């Protein structure tokens, strides 16, 4: 957990996310935390392997966290750590880990000082934000003080995007990193149906790369489905060899078409 | 499955979604299909209960689809039904259901005619888009012809948002609907810490409603965390009673503050 400055050694460090909240499943709120975390983990050489969105229901949170924390190196959660009755993430995580959910003393002090300064009482609702599983460490929240927490390989963060993002930035330096996944995007003017087989053959010949093909819909284009071919690999040489093959494929197919 | 025009009878019809694609987990693509489906299902009185985002890996797709199709009335998938090697959704769904994955004749005819008109050959890559589990029915795709499909309670749709959205609209009339979930949003000028306990008491007194509290961060506001309190219920009377209680709570607390 405290792998700060650990040299990148492992080939792959994996992660999962649990986004918690009825509002994400009703369509009321369009989630932006998943995409943010995905991009940040990729930058930091951690592979996000699965995301689950679950409602504000303890059993659903516990099931998701327990399934994922056993399978991946890290689990990140968003949402459900505020001061209202539907904020049940802290006790749910405690239950998932078989730990008591306590009022963390240091968190109480932080909250107490914060609200005192604002001449607001530390109501039981506000005090609720000091709850965490016994033994958890804080994830600092400079936006609104109430901390997230991490315990074992589970990192519990707020749902409000500005706070979530700050917490992610506070957590990233503590995480062990894998070997950076390199990637290269090659724009392709041909449709997927034209190069599908040739690209599959390139993927087979370059097993240490992962090649994806991403069409977009652009009805005003001559080719309404322009594509980006994205190659990913952990070694620069593998990346470059596959890129050369893809570029050659595109040239050859373009010549055939004329 | 063919519940068109079925009267809304059941209290609750449930659904889950599996969003498939490495690009969603790498942060390269910010998903918009989840939020779209969530909002459309809510409009149509179907409760989205869980979403999973999984990579382009057969085992991951199969595990997610099998877990969810057993648990919910409907499962919707997005992504992985195009003509390239990383499009593995059709054979994965077939395997999940223990069915052979075949080239569907009607789909081949559609594709054949579509490409003939454009003077393009039906390459093996394009023909791949006719694959589906034996016995599946098409989900029409007026944008680019290649159909999605549904089999048992699983609906398989494209990942490109414009096509996904069209397919969702084609599927919705076929689905059985629950009793509409009604909802009402009450803007609240107070912070969550101020009304947390009172709101929890209201939730306890109104068990047939589900009350959520959604703060936003607005650093320029006097109260930097303005809140919307959202009440949901299947009966108008339950909704109105809870709304009255929430409005009274806000008035009382505002008076106390002055």
């Amino acid at each position: 957990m405290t792998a700060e400055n650990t040299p990148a050694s492992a080939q792959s460090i994996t992660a999962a996310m649990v986004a918690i909240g009825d509002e994400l499943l009703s369509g009321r709120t369009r989630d932006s935390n998943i995409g943010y975390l995905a991009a940040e983990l990729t930058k930091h050489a951690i592979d996000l392997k699965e995301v689950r969105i679950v409602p504000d229901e303890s059993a659903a949170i516990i099931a998701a966290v327990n399934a994922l924390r056993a399978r991946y190196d890290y689990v990140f959660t968003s949402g459900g750590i505020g001061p209202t009755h539907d904020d049940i993430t802290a006790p749910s995580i405690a239950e998932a880990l078989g730990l008591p959910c306590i009022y963390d003393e240091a968190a109480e002090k932080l909250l107490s000082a914060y609200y005192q300064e604002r001449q607001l009482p530390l109501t039981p609702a506000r005090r609720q934000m000091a709850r965490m599983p016994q033994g958890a460490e804080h994830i600092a929240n400079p936006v609104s003080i109430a901390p997230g927490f991490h315990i074992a390989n589970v990192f519990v963060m707020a749902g409000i995007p500005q706070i979530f993002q700050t917490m992610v930035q506070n957590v990233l330096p503590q995480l062990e990193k894998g070997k950076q996944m390199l990637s290269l995007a090659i724009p392709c003017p041909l449709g997927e149906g034209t190069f599908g087989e040739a690209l599959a053959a390139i993927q087979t010949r370059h097993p240490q790369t992962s090649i994806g093909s991403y069409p977009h819909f652009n009805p005003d284009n001559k080719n309404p489905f322009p594509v980006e071919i994205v190659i990913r690999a952990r070694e620069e040489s593998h990346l470059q060899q596959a890129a050369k093959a893809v570029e050659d494929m595109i040239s050859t197919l373009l010549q055939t078409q004329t």
Side-chain angles (χ1 to χ4, degrees), chain A:
Chain A
M1 284 307 93
T2 52
E4 208 157 354
N5 300 323
T6 298
S9 53
Q11 271 295 101
S12 161
I13 301 287
T14 59
M17 176 177 179
V18 183
I20 298 162
D22 290 351
E23 70 280 17
L24 305 173
L25 294 166
S26 73
R28 199 189 154 275
T29 301
R30 302 271 167 138
D31 175 83
S32 65
N33 293 331
I34 297 171
Y36 179 81
L37 183 69
E40 289 301 306
L41 290 178
T42 297
K43 267 192 230 163
H44 286 75
I46 295 168
D47 296 345
L48 183 62
K49 297 294 285 178
E50 184 171 348
V51 176
R52 297 191 188 182
I53 308 178
V54 299
D56 297 312
E57 292 170 14
S58 198
I61 298 169
I62 292 169
V65 167
N66 276 341
L68 299 173
R69 75 189 177 95
R71 204 171 299 159
Y72 303 106
D73 294 320
Y74 298 117
V75 175
F76 303 92
T77 78
S78 65
I81 62 169
T84 55
H85 64 277
D86 55 344
D87 290 305
I88 57 169
T89 299
S92 302
I93 300 290
E95 196 176 334
L97 277 82
L99 292 168
C101 186
I102 55 138
Y103 287 88
D104 179 84
E105 252 183 70
E108 283 192 301
K109 274 187 194 156
L110 284 173
L111 290 165
S112 202
Y114 177 80
Y115 288 112
Q116 199 161 12
E117 202 178 304
R118 282 154 188 77
Q119 301 184 296
L120 290 166
L122 186 64
T123 57
R126 293 190 177 112
R127 186 167 174 254
Q128 174 179 305
M129 294 188 284
R131 290 182 308 177
M132 50 187 79
Q134 193 157 42
E137 289 178 47
H138 292 197
I139 300 173
N141 168 8
V143 180
S144 59
I145 292 305
F149 60 84
H150 74 100
I151 177 122
N153 63 341
V154 182
F155 293 76
V156 174
M157 297 179 284
I160 294 177
Q162 294 88 338
I163 305 178
F164 179 81
Q165 290 170 20
T166 307
M167 288 182 171
V168 168
Q169 292 307 324
N170 287 342
V171 161
L172 283 168
Q174 302 172 41
L175 305 177
E176 198 174 341
K177 283 149 192 70
K179 194 161 163 53
Q180 185 73 52
M181 181 67 85
L182 308 169
S183 82
L184 210 145
I186 301 174
C188 177
L190 299 158
E192 287 190 313
T194 304
F195 64 74
E197 294 125 84
L199 191 67
I202 292 172
Q203 173 69 86
T204 304
R205 286 201 310 275
H206 297 265
Q208 282 156 314
T209 66
S210 157
I211 306 178
S213 168
Y214 303 110
H216 294 272
F217 180 50
N218 187 343
D220 303 328
N221 249 17
K222 190 189 156 203
N223 168 12
F225 290 100
V227 175
E228 264 197 336
I229 296 173
V230 176
I231 307 167
R232 301 192 308 148
R234 297 204 194 271
E235 297 290 344
E236 182 67 30
S237 61
H238 296 149
L239 193 73
Q240 292 304 335
Q241 285 155 16
K244 169 96 176 49
V246 168
E247 279 156 4
D248 289 352
M249 172 196 83
I250 295 173
S251 309
T252 306
L253 288 171
L254 281 173
Q255 279 166 18
T256 318
Q257 288 208 318
T258 56

Coordinates of all heavy atoms in Angstrom, one line a residue, chain A residues 70-116:
Chain A
A70 N -11.0 -9.0 -4.2 CA -10.3 -10.3 -4.2 C -9.6 -10.5 -5.5 O -8.7 -11.3 -5.6 CB -11.4 -11.5 -4.0
R71 N -10.1 -9.9 -6.5 CA -9.7 -10.2 -7.9 C -8.6 -9.2 -8.4 O -7.8 -9.5 -9.3 CB -10.9 -10.2 -8.8 CG -10.8 -11.0 -10.1 CD -12.1 -11.0 -10.8 NE -13.1 -11.7 -10.0 CZ -14.5 -11.6 -10.2 NH1 -14.9 -10.8 -11.2 NH2 -15.3 -12.2 -9.4
Y72 N -8.6 -8.0 -7.9 CA -7.7 -6.9 -8.5 C -6.9 -6.3 -7.4 O -7.2 -6.4 -6.2 CB -8.6 -5.9 -9.1 CG -9.5 -6.4 -10.2 CD1 -10.9 -6.6 -10.0 CD2 -8.9 -6.9 -11.4 CE1 -11.7 -7.2 -11.0 CE2 -9.7 -7.5 -12.4 CZ -11.1 -7.6 -12.2 OH -11.9 -8.2 -13.1
D73 N -5.8 -5.7 -7.8 CA -4.8 -5.1 -6.8 C -5.5 -4.0 -6.0 O -5.2 -3.9 -4.8 CB -3.6 -4.6 -7.5 CG -2.8 -5.8 -8.2 OD1 -2.7 -6.8 -7.5 OD2 -2.3 -5.6 -9.3
Y74 N -6.2 -3.2 -6.7 CA -6.9 -2.0 -6.0 C -8.4 -1.9 -6.4 O -8.7 -2.3 -7.5 CB -6.2 -0.7 -6.4 CG -4.7 -0.6 -6.1 CD1 -3.8 -0.5 -7.1 CD2 -4.3 -0.6 -4.8 CE1 -2.4 -0.4 -6.8 CE2 -3.0 -0.6 -4.5 CZ -2.0 -0.5 -5.5 OH -0.7 -0.4 -5.2
V75 N -9.1 -1.5 -5.4 CA -10.5 -1.2 -5.7 C -10.8 0.3 -5.3 O -10.4 0.7 -4.1 CB -11.5 -2.1 -4.9 CG1 -13.0 -1.7 -5.1 CG2 -11.3 -3.5 -5.4
F76 N -11.4 1.1 -6.1 CA -11.7 2.5 -5.8 C -13.2 2.6 -5.8 O -13.9 2.1 -6.7 CB -11.1 3.4 -6.9 CG -9.6 3.2 -7.0 CD1 -9.1 2.3 -8.0 CD2 -8.8 4.0 -6.2 CE1 -7.7 2.2 -8.1 CE2 -7.4 3.8 -6.3 CZ -6.9 2.9 -7.2
T77 N -13.8 3.3 -4.8 CA -15.2 3.6 -4.9 C -15.5 5.1 -4.9 O -14.6 5.9 -4.5 CB -15.9 3.0 -3.6 OG1 -15.7 3.9 -2.5 CG2 -15.5 1.6 -3.3
S78 N -16.6 5.4 -5.5 CA -17.0 6.8 -5.5 C -18.5 6.9 -4.9 O -19.3 6.0 -5.2 CB -17.0 7.4 -6.9 OG -18.0 6.7 -7.7
G79 N -18.7 7.9 -4.1 CA -20.1 8.2 -3.7 C -20.5 7.6 -2.3 O -19.9 6.6 -1.8
G80 N -21.5 8.2 -1.7 CA -22.1 7.7 -0.5 C -21.3 7.9 0.8 O -21.5 7.2 1.8
I81 N -20.5 9.0 0.9 CA -19.8 9.3 2.1 C -20.2 10.6 2.7 O -19.4 11.2 3.5 CB -18.3 9.1 2.0 CG1 -17.7 10.1 1.0 CG2 -17.9 7.7 1.6 CD1 -16.1 10.1 1.1
G82 N -21.3 11.1 2.3 CA -21.8 12.4 2.9 C -22.6 12.3 4.2 O -22.5 11.2 4.8
P83 N -23.3 13.3 4.6 CA -24.0 13.3 5.9 C -25.4 12.9 5.9 O -26.1 13.2 6.9 CB -23.8 14.8 6.3 CG -23.9 15.6 5.0 CD -23.3 14.6 3.9
T84 N -26.0 12.4 4.8 CA -27.4 12.1 4.8 C -27.6 10.5 5.0 O -26.7 9.7 4.9 CB -28.1 12.6 3.6 OG1 -27.5 12.2 2.4 CG2 -28.1 14.2 3.7
H85 N -28.9 10.2 5.1 CA -29.3 8.8 5.4 C -28.9 7.8 4.3 O -28.8 6.6 4.5 CB -30.8 8.7 5.7 CG -31.6 9.1 4.5 ND1 -31.9 10.4 4.2 CD2 -32.1 8.3 3.5 CE1 -32.6 10.4 3.1 NE2 -32.8 9.2 2.7
D86 N -28.9 8.4 3.0 CA -28.5 7.5 1.9 C -27.0 7.4 1.7 O -26.6 6.7 0.8 CB -29.2 8.0 0.6 CG -28.9 9.5 0.3 OD1 -28.4 10.2 1.2 OD2 -29.1 9.9 -0.9
D87 N -26.2 7.9 2.6 CA -24.8 7.8 2.6 C -24.4 6.6 3.4 O -24.2 6.7 4.6 CB -24.1 9.1 3.0 CG -24.3 10.2 2.0 OD1 -23.9 10.0 0.8 OD2 -24.8 11.2 2.4
I88 N -24.3 5.4 2.8 CA -24.1 4.2 3.6 C -22.8 3.5 3.2 O -22.6 2.3 3.5 CB -25.3 3.2 3.4 CG1 -25.5 2.9 1.9 CG2 -26.5 3.8 4.0 CD1 -26.4 1.8 1.7
T89 N -21.9 4.2 2.4 CA -20.7 3.5 2.0 C -19.8 3.1 3.1 O -19.3 1.9 3.1 CB -20.0 4.4 1.0 OG1 -20.8 4.6 -0.2 CG2 -18.7 3.7 0.4
A90 N -19.5 3.9 4.1 CA -18.6 3.6 5.2 C -19.0 2.3 5.9 O -18.2 1.4 6.0 CB -18.4 4.8 6.1
P91 N -20.2 2.3 6.5 CA -20.6 1.0 7.1 C -20.6 -0.2 6.2 O -20.4 -1.3 6.6 CB -22.0 1.3 7.7 CG -22.5 2.6 7.1 CD -21.3 3.3 6.6
S92 N -21.0 0.0 4.9 CA -21.0 -1.1 4.0 C -19.6 -1.7 3.8 O -19.4 -2.9 3.7 CB -21.6 -0.7 2.6 OG -22.9 -0.2 2.8
I93 N -18.6 -0.8 3.6 CA -17.2 -1.2 3.4 C -16.7 -1.9 4.7 O -16.1 -3.0 4.6 CB -16.3 0.0 3.1 CG1 -16.8 0.7 1.8 CG2 -14.8 -0.5 3.0 CD1 -16.6 0.0 0.5
A94 N -17.1 -1.4 5.8 CA -16.7 -2.0 7.1 C -17.2 -3.5 7.1 O -16.5 -4.4 7.4 CB -17.2 -1.2 8.3
E95 N -18.5 -3.6 6.8 CA -19.1 -4.9 6.8 C -18.5 -5.8 5.8 O -18.2 -7.0 6.1 CB -20.6 -4.8 6.5 CG -21.4 -6.0 6.9 CD -22.9 -5.9 6.7 OE1 -23.4 -4.7 6.8 OE2 -23.6 -6.9 6.5
A96 N -18.2 -5.3 4.6 CA -17.5 -6.1 3.6 C -16.2 -6.7 4.1 O -15.8 -7.8 3.8 CB -17.3 -5.3 2.3
L97 N -15.5 -5.9 4.9 CA -14.2 -6.3 5.3 C -14.2 -7.0 6.7 O -13.2 -7.3 7.3 CB -13.2 -5.1 5.4 CG -12.6 -4.7 4.1 CD1 -13.5 -3.9 3.2 CD2 -11.2 -4.0 4.3
G98 N -15.5 -7.1 7.3 CA -15.6 -7.7 8.6 C -15.0 -6.9 9.7 O -14.4 -7.5 10.7
L99 N -15.1 -5.6 9.6 CA -14.5 -4.7 10.6 C -15.6 -3.8 11.2 O -16.6 -3.5 10.6 CB -13.4 -3.8 9.9 CG -12.2 -4.4 9.4 CD1 -11.4 -3.5 8.5 CD2 -11.3 -4.9 10.5
P100 N -15.3 -3.4 12.5 CA -16.3 -2.5 13.0 C -16.2 -1.1 12.3 O -15.1 -0.7 11.9 CB -15.9 -2.3 14.5 CG -14.5 -2.9 14.6 CD -14.3 -3.8 13.4
C101 N -17.4 -0.5 12.2 CA -17.4 0.9 11.6 C -17.4 1.9 12.8 O -18.3 1.9 13.6 CB -18.6 1.1 10.8 SG -18.6 2.7 9.9
I102 N -16.3 2.7 12.9 CA -16.2 3.5 14.1 C -16.2 5.0 13.7 O -16.2 5.3 12.5 CB -14.8 3.3 14.8 CG1 -13.7 3.4 13.7 CG2 -14.8 1.9 15.4 CD1 -12.5 4.2 14.2
Y103 N -16.4 5.9 14.7 CA -16.2 7.3 14.4 C -14.7 7.6 14.6 O -14.2 7.5 15.7 CB -17.0 8.2 15.4 CG -18.5 8.1 15.1 CD1 -19.3 7.1 15.6 CD2 -19.1 9.1 14.2 CE1 -20.7 7.1 15.3 CE2 -20.4 9.0 13.9 CZ -21.2 8.0 14.5 OH -22.5 8.0 14.2
D104 N -14.0 7.9 13.5 CA -12.6 8.1 13.6 C -12.2 9.4 14.3 O -12.7 10.5 13.9 CB -12.0 8.1 12.1 CG -10.5 8.3 12.1 OD1 -9.8 7.3 12.2 OD2 -10.1 9.5 11.9
E105 N -11.4 9.3 15.3 CA -11.1 10.4 16.1 C -10.5 11.6 15.4 O -10.9 12.8 15.5 CB -10.1 10.1 17.3 CG -10.8 10.0 18.6 CD -9.8 9.7 19.7 OE1 -8.9 10.5 20.0 OE2 -9.8 8.5 20.2
A106 N -9.5 11.3 14.6 CA -8.8 12.3 13.8 C -9.8 13.0 12.8 O -9.7 14.2 12.6 CB -7.6 11.7 13.0
A107 N -10.7 12.2 12.2 CA -11.7 12.8 11.3 C -12.6 13.7 12.1 O -13.0 14.8 11.6 CB -12.4 11.7 10.6
E108 N -13.0 13.3 13.3 CA -13.9 14.1 14.1 C -13.3 15.4 14.4 O -14.0 16.5 14.4 CB -14.3 13.4 15.4 CG -15.3 12.3 15.2 CD -15.8 11.8 16.6 OE1 -15.1 11.3 17.4 OE2 -17.1 11.9 16.7
K109 N -12.0 15.4 14.7 CA -11.3 16.6 15.0 C -11.3 17.6 13.9 O -11.5 18.8 14.0 CB -9.9 16.3 15.5 CG -9.8 16.0 17.0 CD -8.3 15.9 17.4 CE -8.3 15.2 18.8 NZ -7.0 14.6 19.1
L110 N -11.0 17.0 12.7 CA -11.0 17.8 11.5 C -12.3 18.5 11.2 O -12.4 19.7 10.9 CB -10.7 16.9 10.2 CG -9.2 16.5 10.0 CD1 -9.2 15.5 8.9 CD2 -8.4 17.7 9.7
L111 N -13.4 17.7 11.3 CA -14.7 18.2 11.1 C -15.1 19.2 12.1 O -15.7 20.3 11.8 CB -15.7 17.0 11.1 CG -15.6 16.1 9.9 CD1 -16.4 14.8 10.2 CD2 -16.2 16.7 8.6
S112 N -14.8 18.9 13.3 CA -15.1 19.8 14.5 C -14.5 21.2 14.2 O -15.2 22.2 14.3 CB -14.6 19.2 15.7 OG -15.2 19.6 16.8
A113 N -13.3 21.2 13.9 CA -12.6 22.5 13.7 C -13.1 23.2 12.5 O -13.3 24.4 12.5 CB -11.1 22.2 13.5
Y114 N -13.4 22.5 11.4 CA -13.9 23.1 10.2 C -15.3 23.7 10.4 O -15.5 24.9 10.0 CB -14.1 21.9 9.2 CG -14.7 22.3 7.8 CD1 -13.9 22.9 6.8 CD2 -16.0 22.0 7.5 CE1 -14.4 23.3 5.6 CE2 -16.5 22.3 6.3 CZ -15.7 22.9 5.3 OH -16.2 23.3 4.1
Y115 N -16.2 23.1 11.1 CA -17.5 23.6 11.3 C -17.5 24.7 12.4 O -18.2 25.7 12.3 CB -18.5 22.5 11.7 CG -18.8 21.7 10.5 CD1 -18.4 20.4 10.4 CD2 -19.5 22.3 9.4 CE1 -18.7 19.6 9.2 CE2 -19.7 21.6 8.2 CZ -19.3 20.2 8.1 OH -19.6 19.5 7.0
Q116 N -16.6 24.6 13.4 CA -16.5 25.6 14.4 C -16.1 26.9 13.8 O -16.6 28.0 14.1 CB -15.4 25.2 15.4 CG -15.5 25.9 16.8 CD -14.7 25.2 17.9 OE1 -14.0 24.3 17.6 NE2 -15.0 25.6 19.1

